[in-house]
Amino acid sequence: CQIRSLALKNPSRALGPVIREEPMEIQLIRNATVVIGLGDRRILIDPCLSPKGRLPPFTFFRRPPRLNPTTDLPENTQEALTAIDAALLTHFRFGHLDHLDRAGLRFLKKQGVPVFCGQKDERALKRKGLKARPVPDDSETDCLGGTIRAVPSAHGSGILRMLMGPGVGFFLRFPGQPSLYLAGDTVLTERVRRVLKEWEPEVCVVNAGGAVLDVGRPILMPVHEILEFVRLAPGKVVAVHMEAFNHCATTRAKLKSHLDSAGLSHKILIPADGELISL
């Protein structure tokens, strides 16, 4: 991959006016596993592909200790995973099996596609046999004819954030497509707010499950932070990472109810597993 410095404050405007060629497609497979369609390019995000119940519980006391994933993969998963050109991994170290499990690892190795990741995950992913491509957070990296930039995330607060390890979101710009911010596993921070206000992403994908562990504060945005995220977002928001792992407390119905009450439902889409959205 090639790296170039980012001189502009707002990378979403770096290419000037954008002429839309084809709609952006976002397909939720399950949890945070998403396929992004950008014209003839297809990018897989955080592949967790284990069958239902193959992974251990992530919490035992604050939430019922169910085996994970708590849901099956949708029937159209194999079709959704055809012709993948690249993958993005938001975080890997310290056992984040809900974003890359053994089944997802096998899939990526078999496909042999470049795997874009945060700089701190590069070495560990290469040891697993993947074609890791580190993405710095202070410059743009060329990716399949577009550009990608890492946005450091905060997977929890205080000591939990340190224990959860490093993670990133990604900001993508591709010719003829809306600018896209994948927030990754994060709580709402000033950095996230600045991305929404200053870079003005036209589409955002937010991990909205409100995940908790047996101790400490939530490690994903709880509902009140999701509501603020949606208010700040200049364009459409797609909410994922719900109802598939036992540590996630926010359901689709709960989130929709709060969005309706706050008058924000028109700004957000909450796909079902397997659902394809065109934007």
Side-chain angles (χ1 to χ4, degrees):
C1 60
Q2 298 177 347
I3 299 173
R4 62 190 183 190
S5 63
L6 182 66
L8 298 179
K9 180 179 180 182
N10 185 345
S12 69
R13 294 178 177 171
L15 295 178
V18 175
I19 299 174
R20 303 293 178 221
E21 297 174 351
E22 297 183 49
M24 173 183 288
E25 293 186 336
I26 298 177
Q27 184 167 10
L28 172 63
I29 294 180
R30 182 186 60 190
N31 197 51
T33 304
V34 175
V35 176
I36 307 294
L38 302 160
D40 61 353
R41 298 147 296 192
R42 290 169 55 78
I43 301 177
L44 174 62
I45 316 299
D46 288 349
C48 171
L49 303 175
S50 291
K52 179 180 178 180
R54 294 292 180 86
L55 302 175
F58 285 6
T59 179
F60 292 86
F61 307 112
R62 294 176 88 174
R63 302 277 300 160
R66 300 173 61 190
L67 291 174
N68 289 310
T70 58
T71 57
D72 289 311
L73 287 165
E75 293 183 357
N76 59 350
T77 296
Q78 185 172 353
E79 178 184 356
L81 293 176
T82 58
I84 297 297
D85 297 296
L88 306 183
L89 291 183
T90 59
H91 56 309
F92 172 67
R93 290 162 64 189
F94 305 145
H96 296 281
L97 297 176
D98 54 334
H99 295 265
L100 180 63
D101 59 357
R102 289 183 180 179
L105 180 62
R106 287 194 301 269
F107 176 82
L108 292 179
K109 291 174 71 172
K110 181 178 179 181
Q111 296 296 307
V113 297
V115 179
F116 294 86
C117 62
Q119 290 178 298
K120 294 181 180 179
D121 279 337
E122 176 190 7
R123 183 176 300 178
L125 290 170
K126 284 185 174 178
R127 285 200 298 263
K128 293 291 186 181
L130 298 183
K131 296 180 178 179
R133 303 288 188 268
V135 181
D137 55 69
D138 58 356
S139 60
E140 289 187 319
T141 298
D142 290 339
C143 171
L144 301 179
T147 63
I148 182 172
R149 182 180 180 180
V151 180
S153 59
H155 199 358
S157 306
I159 191 171
L160 266 183
R161 177 180 178 181
M162 293 185 289
L163 293 174
M164 297 302 288
V168 295
F170 294 103
F171 192 92
L172 285 72
R173 292 190 306 112
F174 281 74
Q177 295 289 331
S179 57
L180 173 65
Y181 174 38
L182 301 163
D185 271 7
T186 188
V187 294
L188 188 62
T189 64
E190 283 307 310
R191 187 186 297 269
V192 172
R193 292 185 179 95
R194 286 200 305 271
V195 170
L196 296 174
K197 292 178 181 179
E198 297 175 12
W199 295 3
E200 300 178 358
E202 295 166 270
V203 178
C204 298
V205 176
V206 62
N207 292 353
V212 295
L213 300 179
D214 284 329
V215 297
R217 298 170 62 186
I219 58 175
L220 291 181
M221 296 182 215
V223 168
H224 71 277
E225 291 186 356
I226 293 293
L227 295 180
E228 183 178 350
F229 184 102
V230 175
R231 288 190 186 98
L232 292 173
K236 285 289 187 181
V237 177
V238 180
V240 300
H241 204 314
M242 289 177 285
E243 299 182 14
F245 277 76
N246 83 305
H247 66 323
C248 288
T250 302
T251 65
R252 292 177 172 93
K254 177 180 178 180
L255 178 60
K256 185 178 185 306
S257 175
H258 282 276
L259 289 162
D260 289 345
S261 297
L264 294 170
S265 295
H266 64 287
K267 292 188 67 177
I268 194 166
L269 298 166
I270 307 175
D273 291 353
E275 184 175 349
L276 177 67
I277 294 170
S278 293
L279 295 168

